[in-house]
Amino acid sequence: MDTSSKENIQFFCKNSVQPVGRPSFKTEYPSSEGKQSCCGELKVFLGGLSFVYFAKALAEGYLKSTITQIERRFDISSSLVGVIDGSFEIGNLLVITFVSYFGAKLHRPRIIGAGCLIMGMGTLLIAMPQFFMEQYRYEKYSPFSNSTLSISPCLLESSSQLPVSVVGKSQSKISDGCVQTVAIIGPIFGFLLGSLCAKLYVDIGFVDLDHVTITPKDPQWVGAWWLGYLIAGIISLLAAVPFWCLPKSLPRPQSREDSNSSEKSKFITDDHIKYQTHAEEKGKIMEMARDFVPSLRSLFGNPVYFLYLCASTVQFNSLFGMVTYKPKYIEQQYGQSSSKANFVIGLINIPAVALGIFSGGVVMKKFRLSLCGAAKLYLGSSVFGYLLFLSLFALGCENSDVAGLTVSYQGTKPVSHQERALFSNCNSRCKCSETKWEPMCGDNGITYASACFAGCQTSNMSGKDIIFYNCTCVGTAASKSGNFSGVVGRCQKDNGCSKMFLYFLVISVITSYTLSLGGIPGYILLLRCIKPQLKSFALGIYTLAIRVLAGIPAPVYFGVLIDTSCLKWGFKRCGSRGSCRLYDSYAFRYIYLGLTMILGTLSIFLSTAVLLTLKKNCVSKRRSFINKRDRTMVSTRFRKENCATSDHLLHPSYWPGKETRL
């Protein structure tokens, strides 16, 4: 994304070819009309390309924001969601070779336009399952009418022999600054769009919202995830329009310095020249094919490039995994809604990253850092960033008190893995279904898997509010006198958790800024450590390695490890395992943050190796330069002495012994 924009702009501005039979009588400067036409079309191209980058970045950011929504909507695990997220990079790899080869030979603006159409259609297809699957059904306790009732959840469950749960299923420099800035803005709008859509119910427009008994703060809430994909798809389709109206190439605006170049070389288009050019291109392609393996060997034989490639790959594994599951971490660890999680990421974290990248470029330019200086800044930003990230281990929240899973039914102590059981003496007669997850918050502040597991005898419903009474298990752990009642939904985390969330946001923003400071220095290091003729190839290998070795696997193995922290799995109608209903906050925090820190530490060691290798090369080059200079000085002095002696001997007034004669 960082090199293709410049390449597209340069290719588009190549000299156009005049039609045969229309000779040009302008011998020095192009007309002002031609300049205006070129500049106008170039601005259209640049604006269209920026809009394309915005649309692409918007779709990518929105995909990250809908991870938890898709997981709940289709009742799938985090590992499978990671595969879905990584498949975006797999799709890129399938077409990148084809596009890079034929893009330079065909009508590039139309190739870009066709790519936008395909991208737009693909984005629209992501939303299609919503319209072909049944409506979302969340697990809830559903009395038979809206009036005041006296129904025993315990007896109701005991008379039911259904073994499975009712789970929801279905449904130029200035130019380069322009494009990259828009590419940063895109994810911001993507996460903000995700925040907006997460506030809307998934089946909005298809169901009566008055009958929806959950709110966006409920863990079972699923927002209108599909709506954002429709918006992003339409934006991508609109981005294709300008490129179908642009020519294949534009004349490059000429300056007075290159006005002496031959007009014939610009505008002659006879068949012989075309044939000769085509033959030369074929020869170049064959030559490039023969040089591929030696060039690859030369790149990987460069220790600085190879170590930097390894360091970047490991670091991007850390960053991709962290960013993919950050909304989920905020929801599960701090009890925040999906909408709020996406909002703070889009409005706080991503701008901090953009500011860090900009600051890194300013530092490089202002202090004119050398190659070793760039490596030091890259390493320093990683070290301080991950040290700040280390403090997040202390900014977690306690587990929610869930009877039988995190605390005992007496509410006195945490339960071990072997002691976890939803059944107890207080609900043994109820014959509740272990596969159901219809959380109820008791009057004692403990959450129960269902009103049945709480041993509730009666219920009262008025509108959307359901209150359960005479709950025997609530009475067992009640810390105060009362009627042992409870309400539908999970109990909220304590007030201290909201303060921890505020601290987490502050540290997270500073960490994002610090880590992104090394972005530009690292990129400069990549460009300067290789031969000029291998730069394009090196960037291509770098991009390919990041996508294949980081973009695809990181979300998958992060998801697999996060799944191990699940305390209560949901089940589908067919009986297979669905999505996780409750996570162990401690295990989730140590897995998510610990895996990120391990990868970050490994990347720091590799970055240190890069710096040491650079210093070693600098020292060896300095020594070889000094030795070469010394040899040159000795050789020069020797030649001067020889010349002086020969001149002395050739002098007419010289005879042997003159210097010693008084």
Side-chain angles (χ1 to χ4, degrees):
M1 192 163 64
D2 27 12
T3 58
S4 59
S5 60
K6 185 174 181 180
E7 182 185 354
N8 287 334
I9 294 168
Q10 288 178 344
F11 182 89
F12 187 62
C13 287
K14 281 186 177 180
N15 298 325
S16 66
V17 178
Q18 294 285 352
V20 178
R22 189 180 298 176
S24 174
F25 295 97
K26 304 287 184 181
T27 57
E28 196 168 50
Y29 304 115
S31 64
S32 59
E33 291 82 357
K35 284 186 177 181
Q36 291 175 357
S37 175
C38 171
C39 292
E41 290 178 330
L42 180 60
K43 289 179 180 178
V44 171
F45 178 79
L46 179 59
L49 190 64
S50 300
F51 192 48
V52 169
Y53 271 68
F54 172 80
K56 179 176 178 290
L58 172 68
E60 289 180 4
Y62 186 76
L63 174 63
K64 300 290 186 185
S65 72
T66 57
I67 290 295
T68 55
Q69 309 290 314
I70 293 175
E71 183 178 333
R72 295 191 198 117
R73 177 63 180 86
F74 299 102
D75 222 4
I76 56 180
S77 62
S78 296
S79 57
L80 184 54
V81 170
V83 174
I84 295 173
D85 184 77
S87 64
F88 179 84
E89 298 295 343
I90 297 176
N92 278 335
L93 296 177
L94 293 176
V95 299
I96 191 171
T97 305
F98 176 83
V99 172
S100 61
Y101 181 77
F102 290 100
K105 298 178 178 296
L106 303 176
H107 197 297
R108 182 168 292 195
R110 291 182 183 175
I111 290 292
I112 297 175
C116 292
L117 292 177
I118 296 174
M119 183 172 66
M121 294 302 297
T123 308
L124 292 175
L125 283 175
I126 299 177
M128 289 301 104
Q130 172 67 21
F131 303 98
F132 295 104
M133 300 185 69
E134 61 182 351
Q135 295 175 359
Y136 174 61
R137 297 181 183 178
Y138 52 90
E139 295 175 335
K140 61 180 180 178
Y141 177 73
S142 304
F144 298 108
S145 70
N146 292 334
S147 58
T148 301
L149 300 170
S150 181
I151 297 177
S152 171
C154 176
L155 295 177
L156 181 62
E157 291 290 348
S158 64
S159 62
S160 173
Q161 302 299 323
L162 294 176
V164 289
S165 66
V166 182
V167 186
K169 346 334 150 252
S170 66
Q171 334 248 348
S172 83
K173 295 184 180 179
I174 297 179
S175 303
D176 266 357
C178 240
V179 175
Q180 297 304 321
T181 301
V182 172
I184 290 293
I185 294 175
I188 297 177
F189 281 87
F191 275 97
L192 293 180
L193 180 61
S195 174
L196 177 63
C197 293
K199 293 181 180 179
L200 306 175
Y201 186 63
V202 59
D203 292 319
I204 185 172
F206 301 95
V207 298
D208 186 0
L209 298 181
D210 292 335
H211 294 102
V212 178
T213 59
I214 58 176
T215 64
K217 293 184 178 180
D218 195 289
Q220 297 187 82
W221 174 271
V222 175
W225 61 272
W226 51 273
L227 184 59
Y229 287 110
L230 295 181
I231 296 173
I234 293 173
I235 291 176
S236 297
L237 293 177
L238 292 176
V241 174
F243 294 97
W244 296 98
C245 307
L246 291 170
K248 184 176 181 180
S249 61
L250 282 177
R252 186 189 299 273
Q254 291 179 325
S255 61
R256 293 181 180 269
E257 287 76 13
D258 59 2
S259 60
N260 295 325
S261 58
S262 172
E263 294 293 324
K264 181 178 180 180
S265 64
K266 295 184 177 65
F267 296 113
I268 292 182
T269 61
D270 61 15
D271 295 336
H272 176 70
I273 296 297
K274 286 184 178 179
Y275 175 79
Q276 188 177 3
T277 304
H278 186 65
E280 289 176 357
E281 287 180 355
K282 278 190 174 181
K284 288 180 180 179
I285 293 174
M286 294 300 296
E287 185 179 350
M288 289 170 60
R290 286 193 299 267
D291 291 341
F292 179 80
V293 175
S295 299
L296 193 64
R297 190 183 300 115
S298 175
L299 276 182
F300 287 107
N302 185 335
V304 177
Y305 176 80
F306 180 74
L307 288 172
Y308 177 75
L309 182 65
C310 293
S312 297
T313 302
V314 174
Q315 188 176 38
F316 273 104
N317 269 272
S318 169
L319 297 178
F320 283 155
M322 179 183 66
V323 171
T324 300
Y325 293 99
K326 194 166 190 176
K328 185 182 186 71
Y329 180 77
I330 292 175
E331 292 177 40
Q332 297 295 332
Q333 189 69 212
Y334 302 102
Q336 302 296 321
S337 65
S338 298
S339 176
K340 189 170 184 179
N342 292 327
F343 181 79
V344 296
I345 292 175
L347 203 62
I348 299 177
N349 275 97
I350 297 180
V353 172
L355 183 61
I357 294 174
F358 178 78
S359 301
V362 170
V363 171
M364 287 290 296
K365 183 177 180 181
K366 184 175 182 179
F367 295 98
R368 300 179 180 275
L369 297 182
S370 62
L371 197 60
C372 288
K376 290 178 182 178
L377 182 56
Y378 176 74
L379 175 61
S381 68
S382 298
V383 171
F384 285 109
Y386 283 107
L387 285 177
L388 286 169
F389 192 84
L390 192 63
S391 64
L392 295 181
F393 281 95
L395 301 179
C397 293
E398 301 288 333
N399 268 320
S400 299
D401 291 338
V402 182
L405 295 177
T406 60
V407 296
S408 65
Y409 271 85
Q410 289 73 32
T412 55
K413 63 180 181 68
V415 294
S416 64
H417 181 73
Q418 293 78 12
E419 296 174 327
R420 288 173 187 166
L422 292 176
F423 286 101
S424 181
N425 292 331
C426 61
N427 59 24
S428 58
R429 64 182 180 82
C430 295
K431 298 181 181 178
C432 307
S433 173
E434 285 188 276
T435 60
K436 287 192 174 182
W437 179 252
E438 300 166 354
M440 187 211 79
C441 180
D443 192 44
N444 54 4
I446 297 177
T447 300
Y448 297 87
S450 66
C452 176
F453 279 109
C456 299
Q457 304 298 316
T458 59
S459 65
N460 187 355
M461 181 176 182
S462 178
K464 293 184 179 181
D465 299 326
I466 303 176
I467 303 176
F468 301 96
Y469 298 102
N470 300 326
C471 304
T472 56
C473 293
V474 176
T476 302
S479 58
K480 60 181 180 179
S481 59
N483 56 3
F484 312 141
S485 61
V487 295
V488 172
R490 284 170 58 176
C491 298
Q492 296 295 321
K493 295 200 174 188
D494 57 7
N495 294 331
C497 193
S498 59
K499 187 179 296 184
M500 285 293 184
F501 178 57
L502 181 61
Y503 296 152
F504 168 82
L505 287 182
V506 174
I507 299 298
S508 179
V509 168
I510 300 175
T511 303
S512 299
Y513 174 81
T514 306
L515 287 174
S516 59
L517 270 174
I520 296 297
Y523 189 72
I524 297 300
L525 175 64
L526 173 67
L527 292 177
R528 289 184 183 176
C529 72
I530 52 181
K531 299 176 182 177
Q533 61 269 26
L534 293 178
K535 283 185 180 180
S536 297
F537 186 51
L539 288 174
I541 295 296
Y542 176 81
T543 304
L544 186 67
I546 296 300
R547 287 181 173 178
V548 174
L549 302 179
I552 296 175
V556 178
Y557 64 76
F558 262 80
V560 170
L561 292 175
I562 287 173
D563 282 341
T564 62
S565 65
C566 184
L567 294 176
K568 179 68 174 70
W569 287 99
F571 289 88
K572 301 179 182 180
R573 289 182 179 179
C574 60
S576 61
R577 194 177 76 176
S579 61
C580 185
R581 301 295 190 245
L582 179 69
Y583 287 93
D584 184 343
S585 294
Y586 296 108
F588 195 160
R589 181 165 72 250
Y590 289 124
I591 288 173
Y592 175 76
L593 299 180
L595 188 55
T596 304
M597 278 300 304
I598 291 173
L599 293 170
T601 304
L602 180 58
S603 72
I604 288 174
F605 280 113
L606 291 170
S607 301
T608 305
V610 171
L611 180 59
L612 294 177
T613 306
L614 272 175
K615 285 187 174 181
K616 184 178 179 181
N617 290 346
C618 290
V619 171
S620 61
K621 287 182 179 180
R622 189 179 296 112
R623 286 178 179 174
S624 62
F625 174 77
I626 292 174
N627 293 335
K628 184 178 179 181
R629 185 185 62 183
D630 291 343
R631 288 196 300 269
T632 304
M633 291 176 64
V634 170
S635 176
T636 304
R637 187 164 56 247
F638 180 75
R639 286 198 303 268
K640 285 182 177 179
E641 290 176 355
N642 285 344
C643 292
T645 303
S646 59
D647 290 343
H648 209 45
L649 291 172
L650 293 174
H651 199 274
S653 60
Y654 174 81
W655 66 89
K658 180 178 181 181
E659 290 83 359
T660 59
R661 184 172 179 178
L662 295 176

